[in-house]
Amino acid sequence: MNLNLKNKKALVTGSSHGIGLEIAKCLSREGCVVAINGRNNKKLLRASKLVSGSFPIQGDVTNYKIAKKVINNAIKNLGRIDILICNVGSGKSKKTGEESYNEWERVFKKNFWSVVNIVKESQKFLIKSKGNIVCISSICGLEFIPGAPVTYSTAKSALNTYIKSMSYFFGKYGVRINGIAPGNILFKNSIWEKKLKNQANETRKFLNKNIPLKKFGSTHNVADLTTYLASKKSEFITGSIFVVDGGQTR
């Protein structure tokens, strides 16, 4: 499918590995000029070699001051922002009931403020370009998932509400914002790769019991949908959360 993304300018946060890197690759293949972002400069430079013509921009967007610098660098390198992909996040946290106040703050910074900061700082540029935003959320923000930390689930639930609420604000400017809620995605160095290696039988039982398709998703499953939502093909879609979970949620 021709998504007509040639020469569109995109910024993908949290894109030095995993889902974010695959999204950056997918956008690049469709003709976008991509700026990738991450905290670790060594990993970022390595990832930039995998994304044709990309610009690496180091910075921790959970800090609003650094998020501002990331956006300014993106504008300096790209000239404008047509597409903003918010991918920073992590489900690692303390078990429910064992979390501290500091842990709540850390998880919210990673999974909620990382989006709010970068969207706020890019707002005027997106309005100018009539661009669009795609935020990577989680099925943990949609319903109770056994074993998921309450900190992570609550932060992603807040993110989903933010997406819907901001769609009304951005809509009057012709800017769209949507979210994708992945389920269990397998990629190199992911938690599921480690579980497959160390607890293969238990992991397979989990898949057979909880996932109707009885398999993990891959990064390209999320990246393909993200790229579609970033294109004109989805011009009448905003404020929506799309589930990519093999049927897990009920």
Side-chain angles (χ1 to χ4, degrees), residues 96 139-150 153 210 248-250:
T96 298
I139 58 172
C140 295
L142 297 173
E143 66 175 47
F144 170 66
I145 303 294
V150 66
S153 299
N210 295 284
Q248 182 178 357
T249 51
R250 293 168 175 81

Side-chain angles (χ1 to χ4, degrees), residues 17 62 74 94 117 120 147 194 217 238 246:
H17 69 285
T62 66
K94 300 288 185 180
N117 292 341
K120 181 64 176 176
K194 294 174 184 176
T238 194

Side-chain angles (χ1 to χ4, degrees), residues 169-187:
F169 167 78
F170 277 126
K172 59 179 176 263
Y173 300 107
V175 176
R176 297 184 296 111
I177 179 170
N178 291 290
I180 296 177
N184 304 307
I185 307 298
L186 180 65
F187 55 89

Side-chain angles (χ1 to χ4, degrees), residues 152-205:
Y152 178 67
S153 299
T154 306
K156 289 302 190 182
S157 179
L159 174 57
N160 293 341
T161 300
Y162 173 80
I163 291 166
K164 186 63 179 179
S165 299
M166 289 303 290
S167 70
Y168 280 82
F169 167 78
F170 277 126
K172 59 179 176 263
Y173 300 107
V175 176
R176 297 184 296 111
I177 179 170
N178 291 290
I180 296 177
N184 304 307
I185 307 298
L186 180 65
F187 55 89
K188 186 176 181 180
N189 296 324
S190 67
I191 187 172
W192 288 113
E193 184 185 63
K194 294 174 184 176
K195 285 187 176 182
L196 272 177
K197 182 179 180 180
N198 300 321
Q199 300 172 295
N201 290 335
E202 292 87 344
T203 302
R204 290 298 175 190
K205 287 179 181 178

Side-chain angles (χ1 to χ4, degrees), residues 40-128:
N40 186 303
N41 197 49
K42 186 176 180 180
K43 291 181 179 179
L44 195 60
L45 292 174
R46 186 164 59 239
S48 69
K49 295 177 181 178
L50 303 175
V51 183
S52 179
S54 64
F55 298 94
I57 301 177
Q58 185 183 16
D60 182 357
V61 298
T62 66
N63 181 309
Y64 74 93
K65 292 181 180 179
I66 297 177
K68 185 179 183 70
K69 292 180 179 179
V70 168
I71 290 299
N72 288 338
N73 284 338
I75 292 298
K76 181 180 178 180
N77 285 287
L78 301 176
R80 66 178 190 275
I81 298 175
D82 301 303
I83 298 164
L84 175 65
I85 310 298
C86 303
N87 179 64
V88 172
S90 173
K92 294 180 180 179
S93 184
K94 300 288 185 180
K95 290 182 180 179
T96 298
E98 298 180 3
E99 63 284 333
S100 63
Y101 289 112
N102 287 340
E103 181 66 357
W104 274 102
E105 184 176 13
R106 185 191 70 80
V107 175
F108 257 78
K109 282 181 68 177
K110 190 84 169 180
N111 294 285
F112 181 69
W113 288 109
S114 62
V115 175
V116 174
N117 292 341
I118 207 73
V119 170
K120 181 64 176 176
E121 295 302 331
S122 62
Q123 181 177 301
K124 65 181 180 182
F125 301 110
L126 289 164
I127 289 173
K128 185 175 180 179

